[in-house]
Amino acid sequence: QVQLVESGGGFMHSGGSLRLSCAASKSISTAYSMGWYRQAPGNQRERVATIITGGTTKYADSVNGRFTISSDNAVNTVYLQMNSLKPEDTAVYYCNFKEPTTYYNYWGQGTQVTVSS
């Protein structure tokens, strides 16, 4: 069992920046990958950014160049730095821990990000 606690969401004007944090109850170095997903009202949950253990990162086209995912294994925390925010970035952001071998997914409770125009 893995508990994930997100923080750092909030309200921001277009063009601003926010940094999300996700603290895991288990060593994140044991994960296959860690990631951030988001879900806007009426939409399906979508992948924003992932970091595979070892350092490879992947981004959704919509955030590439604006968002950066990083991790700190010493404190079992994953971050999402979000710059040049746009109103279409408004969503609940969820942290994800993917188990190796089984690829079972653990999810955090989500943190709301709202960007006004």
Side-chain angles (χ1 to χ4, degrees), residues 19-89:
R19 189 177 82 153
L20 305 183
S21 299
C22 171
S25 63
K26 181 178 178 180
S27 172
I28 62 174
S29 63
T30 67
Y32 168 77
S33 67
M34 298 291 299
W36 289 95
Y37 291 68
R38 67 187 180 187
Q39 187 167 17
N43 290 357
Q44 291 186 332
R45 189 172 297 188
E46 63 174 358
R47 179 180 60 86
V48 175
T50 56
I51 182 166
I52 299 174
T53 300
T56 301
T57 57
K58 295 182 179 180
Y59 296 93
D61 290 343
S62 59
V63 307
N64 198 23
R66 300 188 297 122
F67 291 10
T68 302
I69 187 170
S70 62
S71 63
D72 186 340
N73 288 0
V75 292
N76 294 322
T77 300
V78 176
Y79 305 96
L80 184 68
Q81 178 66 43
M82 305 186 293
N83 298 330
S84 302
L85 283 163
K86 303 175 180 180
E88 49 264 45
D89 295 320

Side-chain angles (χ1 to χ4, degrees), residues 1-6 22-34 76 78 95-100 102 104-109:
Q1 191 76 9
V2 180
Q3 281 78 47
L4 303 170
V5 179
E6 301 104 333
C22 171
S25 63
K26 181 178 178 180
S27 172
I28 62 174
S29 63
T30 67
Y32 168 77
S33 67
M34 298 291 299
N76 294 322
V78 176
C95 181
N96 171 267
F97 179 114
K98 187 181 294 289
E99 287 275 15
T102 64
Y104 183 83
N105 290 300
Y106 292 96
W107 298 96
Q109 80 287 354

